[in-house]
Amino acid sequence: MALSSAFEPVIDLVFPPRCPLCGAGVARHGGLCQGCWSGLVIPGTPACATCGRPFGEGIVAEAICAPCMADPPRHDGIAAATLYNETSRKLVLQLKHGRRIALAPLLARLMAARLLPLDETWLIVPVPLHRWRLWRRGYNQSAELARELARLTGARLAVDALVRRKPTPTLGGLGAKARRRALSGAIAAHPRRAAMLKGAQVVLVDDVLTSGATSNACVSALKRAGAGKVVISCFARVLDEAL
């Protein structure tokens, strides 16, 4: 028995397990209560064969959504644990700005459940933060999720495979062209990871996938470095039309 497991009853007695969102009692630490769990929206099927965007009923399997047909993505699929709503937003905000790093294992478990089985041939790469933002926040939430995903799946963690070479403004409220301008030249593969990325199968990890501008910049940088396949894994995906 692991030491942590041996002391679990004592820890539960001193610090009773609580839902991290509403504070209701739960069976064990690191889980949501039934009410908060039911508030999460898991992407369903049928879905776009390229990006995983959920379709309505009656769409045939292996269909491709209109956005992917109009602008074929460079990534090789999107695996979203949840669709962005009030419940997932609260979890992301607590992890990202509330310094609740202990939420990373819970979110990563939900993300891992949406991925195909991985092994040591895969690389787990987080979306990078600029060093000034990392210094202010103290941690990169995407890197915390990536560490947990690597632990859960057995894939290799490459936490510094991508670097953000210049600070970028908040992208919220910007149009597509403005987002591309803001991210132009901002993200690149780390020169010391060139050999590791050559021909690699990569899971790019982010907390929230909104417009896709940041993840697209990361995918492009990975593909330029020679990555053979890049799948995006996120905890929450913003798709208002799917809710």
Side-chain angles (χ1 to χ4, degrees):
M1 179 184 294
L3 186 62
S4 59
S5 299
F7 282 98
E8 191 170 330
V10 178
I11 296 173
D12 288 351
L13 180 64
V14 178
F15 302 103
R18 299 287 182 183
C19 173
L21 287 184
C22 70
V26 293
R28 61 183 302 173
H29 291 284
L32 298 176
C33 69
Q34 183 176 356
C36 290
W37 177 263
S38 64
L40 294 174
V41 178
I42 310 300
T45 55
C48 174
T50 299
C51 76
R53 180 187 298 269
F55 289 137
E57 295 183 2
I59 305 296
V60 298
E62 302 302 318
I64 297 176
C65 68
C68 286
M69 292 179 67
D71 185 16
R74 296 199 68 189
H75 64 68
D76 298 284
I78 298 174
T82 67
L83 298 183
Y84 192 80
N85 66 358
E86 185 62 21
T87 302
S88 60
R89 184 185 74 88
K90 289 179 180 178
L91 285 169
V92 167
L93 288 179
Q94 287 195 22
L95 172 66
K96 189 172 184 175
H97 299 298
R99 299 186 176 275
R100 299 285 296 277
I101 299 177
L103 286 172
L106 167 63
L107 273 58
R109 287 198 301 271
L110 294 172
M111 293 166 67
R114 303 289 296 181
L115 287 167
L116 293 173
L118 306 179
D119 56 28
E120 68 279 358
T121 65
W122 284 79
L123 289 179
I124 305 286
V125 176
V127 170
L129 284 181
H130 186 265
R131 61 183 179 275
W132 291 119
R133 185 167 294 178
L134 181 62
W135 180 78
R136 287 195 299 269
R137 187 175 299 166
Y139 61 96
N140 177 358
Q141 72 281 355
S142 296
E144 297 301 322
L145 293 173
R147 287 190 181 92
E148 292 299 325
L149 271 180
R151 183 183 63 81
L152 289 168
T153 63
R156 292 176 294 157
L157 177 64
V159 72
D160 61 346
L162 291 174
V163 292
R164 196 175 288 247
R165 299 189 294 193
K166 65 178 184 179
T168 52
T170 301
L171 301 182
L174 297 180
K177 289 184 179 179
R179 289 189 179 102
R180 285 195 294 268
R181 284 197 300 270
L183 288 163
S184 178
I187 297 173
H190 197 301
R192 290 196 296 240
R193 298 292 176 258
M196 178 185 289
L197 291 172
K198 191 71 173 179
Q201 299 182 102
V202 177
V203 174
L204 176 69
V205 177
D206 204 358
D207 54 348
V208 179
L209 183 65
T210 310
S211 68
T214 300
S215 60
N216 287 342
C218 291
V219 171
S220 294
L222 291 166
K223 291 289 181 82
R224 284 195 299 269
K229 184 175 185 178
V230 181
V231 174
I232 300 170
S233 174
C234 62
F235 172 68
R237 184 178 183 183
V238 178
L239 286 178
D240 292 340
E241 77 278 8
L243 292 174

